[in-house]
Amino acid sequence: MDFAYPETHGDIQNLANQIFSDHCAPDRLKKLEAKGPYLDSELWGKVVESGLHAASLPESAGGMGLDFAASMMVVEALGQAVVNVPLVPSIISTALPLATLDVAEAKKAVEQAAAGDILTTAHIEPGNEDPLNPSTTVSNGQLNGVKHCVPYAAEAKWMLVSAMSGDALWVGLVDTHADGVSIAAQDATTGEPQYEVTFSNAKAHTLATGKAAVALMQKSIAMTTAAYCNMAVGVCTKMTRIACDYTSQRQQFGVAIATFQAVAHRLADCFIDTECLKIITLKATNDISEGDDNAASLSMAKIWCGDALHRISQATQHVHGGAGIDRDYHLWRYCLWAKFLELALGSSRTHLVALADRLQADYLAESAR
Amino acid sequence: MHIAYTDEQQALKTRLETYLQSIVTEELLNEMKDPNLMEGGGPVFRAAMKKMGADGWLGLGWPKELGGAGIGPVEQHIFAETIMASGFPYPFLTIDTIGPMLAQHANGFIQETVVKEILKGNVFISVGYSEPNAGTDLASLQTRAVKDGDDWVINGQKIWTSLGQFADYIWLAARTNTDPAIKKHKGITMFLVPTSSKGYSCTPIHTLGVRTNATYYEDVRIPDKYRVSEVDAGWGLITGQLNRERLSIVNPGMMGGIFEQVCAWAAETKDRNGELLITQPWVKENLARVQADLEVLKLLCWKQAWAMQNGNPGMADSSAAKVYGSEFFVECYRRLLEVVGQAGTLKRDSKGAILRGKLEHRYRSGSVLTFGGGTNEIQREIIAGAGLWLPRARP
């Protein structure tokens, strides 16, 4: 048992915190947000230049070749800044799972991602948020169906897509500029560019079918879920910090409001929730890094992710009074990301049901033995 | 980074689980039916403690120079977690909190007569902190110790002296300085009071869950060699012991054992329609919620144990684990009792009792945890100060 990170991971965390915090000044973000959903190309360029985005990509593809936990340090730092860069969609959801394949198209896409090009994964469809049971279909290498809330679809070169090929799951890569792919902007509260993508006999490269396809899509889901939990750690830490700073300054009845126990205890509860989320997220991240079975720890982490985000978001807004919801103040961005991270790839409730089914199966197997 | 037991740690746990089957016998469980012996103290319990001492299990993680096996705090935690899961009334206050404090701070006489005997499973110690008028504000305690020649003469009353009915010593905090000019926590000294001393007495307090005690000190005279701290400098030992106690009282072992038993029970018990209880959505979701929250508690405690091995656990982290763990226990007993239903209130030896009434007993004793070892409001104050650097309100 060892809770210490290797030194490299600490260095990565420090550098990531520095780069992101240099670019998340509220005035700068306000300008970026003025025209609606945005991609911060300047910041993304700096992240790519630092090589941090590719911490966990193989060296052969131009990455640093570190374990999965290394990239999660960068994602947590992003959670403290909430600036729109395609780190999670391009690298975590797409390039990392692709890097496990020995397929020419996949290798090429991973190299492009390491060089800074954007990839994305279409996880969900209107009315169906289960990427392992899509309504989209594929036959003869042609896709038909609709995906939505696809991050950076218009900015991406390649899109990872799951579809049904008869009764079997299929996973492939789609050139976002190919014929038969139409992309329409959606308007998400996080301000991240998200799109509805319609396939009408769109051509696609097959990567895997059947069990291999399930394994590939599961990797994307697991890594993305872990990334959401790690980003949530950053968001929760920052929301709590903002609320502590504010209540230590804000005077009422002649004293800082943080000196009221009712306020301080609410913030102490935010601290406890963050610690709980942090430790279960670390466990899930470690299970992925070490290649262990991660389904249970990931579900537990996502249950905590949703609960902690919800509680901390509400509590930190509350102790601010009106200031917390003012768009000239900076807390609101974190609160909107909190809701996204709570719901994306399954809410607390969804994961509780999954964990419950697993528990039932385990104990029934035990009692049959 | 490796957030799981190593192969050696897993092997230790497995070996211990097998060993404990010879310790937690029907004979012991029968002895524990007596409310006065429910938490240990009977002859079967004492024999089992002696056996574990002789077999080298006590002080597994204590440093070698203090007489332990020197394996480390993580292994000590594994021991505590496993023995608590086994149902043995593990005297954690003695083994995991006061023992290590004595081993670190006490004089040669106490090392020989007390610390060595703790490791042999012969000696048990109760905490004498709270008084009728000093609970959360512990530093206002009034029990007096006055120097008389080479002796100290102690007068006063302690309350909630748990396990005092079979303790050999009381780890006693007494006021040795009444100078109004000094801060009240700077006038306290720690002693070990032999319960065989003349003038010491103990009367039971029967609570919702377990027996505890009031203890009385009437001109109790003890030699200076039973003084554990420097004169007036006992506060550091009190907080040191409490830090350890906070980790011990949220040890996930006790809950882990009962949680697995309820899951197994729900996997073999049918409702009136012949469906296994565990297949009902609300039942398995109740259990899954306990599983997710228990996993967090386990990890928090692992990290604390690991941090002890690698320096010191942060004050705010210990308090966070204490608040989270104690509030989780209360919630957890509720969820598990919901699964078992009304029959969950049947006592151990009643007709129709489920899982030997363990749940009903645990929920009755569990409410102690949110205020025992330092009430959760004080823990939140500690977090606000040491974890979040908020300005302090109280003088």
Side-chain angles (χ1 to χ4, degrees), chain A residues 126-355:
Chain A
N128 171 27
E129 303 202 348
D130 181 359
L132 296 175
N133 288 294
S135 305
T136 301
T137 58
V138 64
S139 67
N140 302 322
Q142 293 199 313
L143 273 174
N144 281 289
V146 183
K147 303 282 179 182
H148 82 160
C149 300
V150 185
Y152 302 97
E155 291 80 7
K157 232 184 170 73
W158 297 100
M159 192 185 315
L160 189 68
V161 177
S162 62
M164 294 309 293
S165 171
D167 289 340
L169 189 73
W170 169 99
V171 174
L173 270 181
V174 179
D175 179 345
T176 52
H177 299 100
D179 289 346
V181 179
S182 56
I183 298 177
Q186 291 178 293
D187 196 4
T189 55
T190 54
E192 182 186 60
Q194 293 185 5
Y195 300 90
E196 184 189 73
V197 180
T198 307
F199 305 112
S200 312
N201 294 324
K203 222 177 96 188
H205 294 286
T206 299
L207 293 173
T209 311
K211 274 187 184 162
V214 172
L216 181 60
M217 191 40 72
Q218 272 174 340
K219 256 187 205 120
S220 173
I221 297 167
M223 288 172 164
T224 310
T225 305
Y228 289 158
C229 294
N230 277 282
M231 194 165 166
V233 170
V235 169
C236 288
T237 304
K238 192 61 186 264
M239 289 193 295
T240 306
R241 190 67 257 149
I242 292 172
C244 287
D245 290 346
Y246 180 83
T247 55
S248 298
Q249 300 294 324
R250 168 78 174 167
Q251 303 257 328
Q252 288 290 277
F253 306 102
V255 293
I257 58 172
T259 61
F260 293 110
Q261 289 187 322
V263 174
H265 288 193
R266 197 127 192 224
L267 294 171
D269 284 338
C270 294
F271 178 92
I272 296 168
D273 265 339
T274 306
E275 288 302 303
C276 291
L277 171 62
K278 213 186 267 183
I279 199 110
I280 191 74
T281 296
L282 190 67
K283 170 72 176 152
T285 302
N286 187 242
D287 284 349
I288 294 181
S289 270
E290 296 193 344
D292 293 341
D293 178 13
N294 55 49
S297 59
L298 259 181
S299 272
M300 293 189 214
K302 195 63 179 39
I303 291 169
W304 270 95
C305 172
D307 289 356
L309 285 163
H310 171 75
R311 290 195 287 254
I312 296 174
S313 180
Q314 291 306 314
T316 53
Q317 286 176 58
H318 173 80
V319 297
H320 276 85
I325 50 174
D326 183 347
R327 289 212 178 208
D328 282 335
Y329 190 69
H330 49 312
L331 185 66
W332 66 275
R333 288 188 189 85
Y334 295 91
C335 298
L336 294 178
W337 270 98
K339 189 50 76 182
F340 170 84
L341 294 168
E342 179 191 338
L343 296 175
L345 288 183
S347 64
S348 299
R349 193 75 206 178
T350 318
H351 282 275
L352 184 67
V353 169
L355 189 66

Side-chain angles (χ1 to χ4, degrees), chain B residues 27-90:
Chain B
E27 201 187 1
L28 176 74
L29 296 174
N30 277 331
E31 179 178 278
M32 287 163 62
K33 282 183 189 174
D34 180 339
N36 293 316
L37 303 177
M38 187 186 278
E39 293 188 294
V44 184
F45 163 84
R46 282 189 178 268
M49 284 300 294
K50 264 187 213 296
K51 182 170 175 359
M52 283 191 279
D55 293 339
W57 284 109
L58 305 176
L60 196 65
W62 291 30
K64 274 194 180 138
E65 56 273 23
L66 303 178
I71 307 182
V74 174
E75 283 70 14
Q76 182 70 33
H77 179 72
I78 292 172
F79 173 75
E81 188 178 330
T82 313
I83 196 169
M84 286 190 186
S86 78
F88 186 82
Y90 177 54

Side-chain angles (χ1 to χ4, degrees), chain A residues 69-133:
Chain A
S71 60
M72 292 300 104
M73 315 296 289
V74 187
V75 171
E76 187 193 322
L78 178 60
Q80 299 223 22
V82 294
V83 192
N84 292 340
V85 289
L87 176 66
V88 176
S90 186
I91 303 294
I92 312 297
S93 308
T94 317
L96 281 176
L98 287 180
T100 61
L101 298 180
D102 193 15
V103 175
E105 285 88 359
K107 282 184 186 232
K108 196 173 120 198
V110 174
E111 282 167 21
Q112 289 170 339
D117 285 344
I118 298 171
L119 314 180
T120 191
T121 297
H123 281 128
I124 65 169
E125 300 174 342
N128 171 27
E129 303 202 348
D130 181 359
L132 296 175
N133 288 294

